[in-house]
Amino acid sequence: MRRPSHPLADGDRKLKALPALRAALGEKSFASEAADIARRSADWRGLHHGQALAILRPDSVEQVQTIVRLCAEHGVAIVPQGGNTGLVAGSVPDDSGQQIVLCLDRLNRIRSVDPMGFSLTVEAGCLLAEVQRVAQRHGRLFPLSLGAEGSCQIGGNIATNAGGHAVMRYGSMRELVLGLEVVLPDGSLISALRGLRKDNLGYDLKHLFVGAEGTLGVVTAACLKLFPLPREVVTAFAAPANAEAAVRLLSLAKEEFGDQVTAFEFMSSEAIALAERFVPGIRMPLASAAPWFVLMEVSSQRKDGCGATLVESLLGDAFERGLIVDATVAASLEQSKALWSLREAVVEAQRLAGPSLKHDVSVPLSRVPAFLSEATAHIRARAPQVRVLPFGHLGDGNIHYNLCATNDEEVAALDLHGESLSRIVYGMVAQFGGSPSAEHGVGRVRRELLPQFRSPAELALMRRVKAALDPQGLFNPRVIFDSVTG
C-alpha cells in the first residue's frame, strides 16, 4: 500500500521541478524573481493576493506541453493566466508558494485569417483589441467588446466565456468559437482548428473548455467566428419612465429592428451622477431627470443612411406611448463615442469613489424590473447608508448589481453588513430564477454559491468531468470547485 507523502517531501518535490523547467524552457520563459512573482500573484484590483512558485511564459505550444508534463511529473499545480483582468480570482495562485503561474502572453501570433470563410485563427495570448483590429483590416468584425479589451487576452476570454456589450446580437464567447487547440493535463494536445460551421461527429469537445476557467486544460489557440463590418451604426441615449418602460423599449426596438439591435445598456441615475462626479469630462447628455437611462446601438448593412431616421422614429413612438421622457441620437462618431464613454465611466467611477461589493448576476429579462425593485428595497432596509448602483447589459438580463461606499459612514456600513448584503442579493437572484455569475465566472470567489444554484446531479457530473480530465487536480485547483479534484 502506498504511504501518504509528507508535506515537506511534497514541497521538496515541487522545488526540484524548477531546475527541470528552467532547463527545458530557457531564461526567457522562466521567472522566479520576487518582483515578477509579486506582479503575477495578485489580481489587477489588488484584492486577491497569492504567492507563486515561479512564473512561466512559454512562446510555443510545445513549451506549454513540456511545462504540463514536467508539472504532472513533480506534482506541481498550474494556474493559467491571460491578461489577469478577471474579477473572481480565477487566475491568481493561492498563498502556498507551491503553484506555478502559466502566462500565455508570448503565445500571441495571428496564425491565419480567412475573410471569405469569415474566420481567423489566433493564439491564446493575443489581446482582444488586436484581434478586433486584425479582423477590421480584413474588412471583417470580431464582435466581442469589453471594457478591458486593451488588456484581456483571447485565452482568458475563452476560459471565462466572456460576454460584453454585444451578446444580444452575436452571443457570448462560446458562440464565437469555431475550434480550439488545448493542452490537456497529461500534456497531450487536442488540435481542432478547422473552422467548420457543421461538424456533427460525436461530442463537441470545445465546449468543455469554454468557460472552464483553466480547470480542464490550457487553451493555446482558437479559430474564431467573424462577421461583416456593419455599414451603419446608430447610437441613442434615452431616459425611460421607469425600469418596466426600459424593458418595453427594448421589446419595441427588437420588434422594429430584429437582431440589428446590437447593444442595450442600462444605468441608474445614481450611477451616472457618480460618473459625473469622479470621471473628468463626463457629462449627462439629457436635461430630463429620470431614474434610469439606456444606451442603445443599432447596426446594419444599410446603404441608404436612413438608420438614424428610423431610430428617431422609434424613439418618437416610445415617447408617444409614455415609455421615455427624453432621448438623443448621436449625430457623429464623436458623439457616439461620448455616449459610450459615459457607460464606461460608470465602471471607472465606482473604482475611484471607494470600496464596492460587485454582483454580476442575471435574471430573466421580463423579471428585471421586479428584481431591481425588490432587491433594492431589501438592501436599503438592511443598510440605508450604502449606495445601490446597478447597471449593465439589459439586452441579455445581465445586471452588475453593485453596492458602493464613497465616505466614512458608507464604508463603515459596507464593512459591517457586506456579507449579509451579498446574501440578500444572491437570495433574490435565486428567487427570481437567475444566476449569480452572468459573465465573470466562478473563480475562487463564488465557489460556495454553486450548491445553491446547481442541482446535486449537475455538480456530480461536473466533478466527474474534472476528475476524468485532471485526476491529480493540478489545473487551477480550487477554482470553481471547493476541493482540488472537484
Side-chain angles (χ1 to χ4, degrees), residues 91 212 215 261 302 399:
S91 59
T215 61
V261 183
R302 299 184 65 92
I399 306 161

Side-chain angles (χ1 to χ4, degrees), residues 67-362:
I67 290 168
V68 170
R69 287 170 180 147
L70 285 171
C71 286
E73 179 183 339
H74 291 86
V76 179
I78 296 172
V79 178
Q81 189 178 97
N84 198 24
T85 60
L87 297 171
V88 292
S91 59
V92 178
D94 64 20
D95 59 4
S96 68
Q98 300 295 305
Q99 301 177 339
I100 66 104
V101 172
L102 178 58
C103 299
L104 299 170
D105 57 329
R106 295 178 68 205
L107 264 69
N108 57 7
R109 302 167 187 86
I110 305 294
R111 292 193 184 175
S112 65
V113 184
D114 182 4
M116 296 298 292
F118 286 87
S119 68
L120 82 167
T121 300
V122 303
E123 292 183 341
C126 288
L127 295 178
L128 172 56
E130 177 61 16
V131 172
Q132 294 169 343
R133 285 191 290 268
V134 169
Q136 188 167 16
R137 285 200 297 267
H138 288 81
R140 297 292 181 257
L141 171 72
F142 183 65
L144 184 67
S145 178
L146 311 171
E149 60 195 29
S151 305
C152 64
Q153 298 170 13
I154 288 296
N157 298 149
I158 292 168
T160 57
N161 187 29
H165 304 311
V167 167
M168 63 182 299
R169 177 167 185 177
Y170 297 104
S172 61
M173 194 67 184
R174 185 179 301 281
E175 284 72 44
L176 302 176
V177 172
L178 292 171
L180 290 179
E181 179 183 84
V182 184
V183 176
L184 299 180
D186 63 0
S188 60
L189 183 71
I190 291 179
S191 185
L193 298 170
R194 294 179 293 274
L196 299 175
R197 305 297 173 121
K198 285 187 174 181
D199 185 1
N200 206 21
L201 196 64
Y203 302 132
D204 194 346
L205 295 175
K206 66 177 179 287
H207 290 299
L208 277 174
F209 305 101
V210 181
E213 300 186 50
T215 61
L216 302 178
V218 178
V219 173
T220 52
C223 182
L224 304 174
K225 191 183 297 185
L226 300 181
F227 296 83
L229 279 170
R231 293 191 177 99
E232 185 176 37
V233 178
V234 180
T235 308
F237 193 84
N242 48 49
E244 292 85 353
V247 174
R248 291 177 62 193
L249 176 62
L250 171 59
S251 177
L252 197 65
K254 292 176 73 172
E255 289 171 5
E256 179 67 25
F257 297 110
D259 66 1
Q260 293 178 10
V261 183
T262 308
F264 202 93
E265 304 289 298
F266 81 111
M267 298 147 276
S268 69
S269 57
E270 292 90 345
I272 291 179
L274 203 71
E276 289 183 294
R277 176 181 168 189
F278 283 95
V279 181
I282 293 301
R283 182 178 62 84
M284 164 60 75
L286 301 178
S288 301
W292 301 97
F293 296 90
V294 298
L295 176 64
M296 179 175 67
E297 184 174 275
V298 176
S299 60
S300 71
Q301 303 306 116
R302 299 184 65 92
K303 297 181 180 179
D304 55 14
C306 292
T309 301
L310 294 173
V311 171
E312 288 171 356
S313 176
L314 170 79
L315 294 172
D317 185 20
F319 184 84
E320 292 296 325
R321 299 185 188 204
L323 298 182
I324 63 174
V325 298
D326 201 355
T328 184
V329 176
S332 65
L333 179 60
E334 289 72 23
Q335 290 183 9
S336 176
K337 288 180 178 179
L339 293 176
W340 275 106
S341 69
L342 175 57
R343 166 62 176 82
E344 296 304 328
V346 166
V347 180
E348 179 66 5
Q350 292 179 37
R351 183 185 70 82
L352 296 172
S356 62
L357 278 178
K358 298 183 182 298
H359 306 94
D360 165 48
V361 305
S362 63

